[in-house]
Amino acid sequence: SSFDRAQAAPFERQPLKMARSSGLLVLVAALAALCMLQSAFVPSSKPQVSNEAATLAAAGAVLATPEAAHARLPEEFVIFAPIVDVLPILPVFFFLLAFLWQAA
């Protein structure tokens, strides 16, 4: 009986060693993929946009945002305005629903 336990002991530990080596293999594969990903992109040959141009573009976007937020619906769709006002918040409800589903 003691001979059987001595033979079985190395086999009982083998899955743990495989799990460690699998984790190490995944880590090495992820690092190799990261190194290959960096070499996949070619740097742009265009000159960089000046800081002034970027600041002006950002200011223009900020000034144009209120106009887009207060756009009017065409006359035939004005009756649906209350529904259109609620539509942007629907993805938030789906996000919260995912947490409720996981908790159930």
Side-chain angles (χ1 to χ4, degrees), residues 61-83:
V62 167
L63 292 175
T65 301
E67 292 177 16
H70 297 292
R72 292 184 47 134
L73 291 172
E75 290 297 320
E76 58 268 15
F77 298 112
V78 170
I79 58 171
F80 300 115
I83 297 170

Side-chain angles (χ1 to χ4, degrees), residues 16-83:
L16 183 59
K17 288 181 181 178
M18 292 179 98
R20 287 181 184 169
S21 65
S22 296
L24 183 61
L25 183 63
V26 169
L27 181 63
V28 168
L31 288 174
L34 183 63
C35 290
M36 290 190 321
L37 184 67
Q38 288 177 351
S39 65
F41 295 101
V42 178
S44 176
S45 62
K46 294 181 182 179
Q48 294 294 328
V49 177
S50 69
N51 202 11
E52 262 182 51
T55 304
L56 289 175
V62 167
L63 292 175
T65 301
E67 292 177 16
H70 297 292
R72 292 184 47 134
L73 291 172
E75 290 297 320
E76 58 268 15
F77 298 112
V78 170
I79 58 171
F80 300 115
I83 297 170

Side-chain angles (χ1 to χ4, degrees), residues 1 7 11 13 23 31 34 38 43 45 56-58 84 86 95:
S1 177
Q7 276 186 328
F11 294 114
R13 294 185 186 128
L31 288 174
L34 183 63
Q38 288 177 351
S45 62
L56 289 175
V84 172
V86 173
F95 181 70

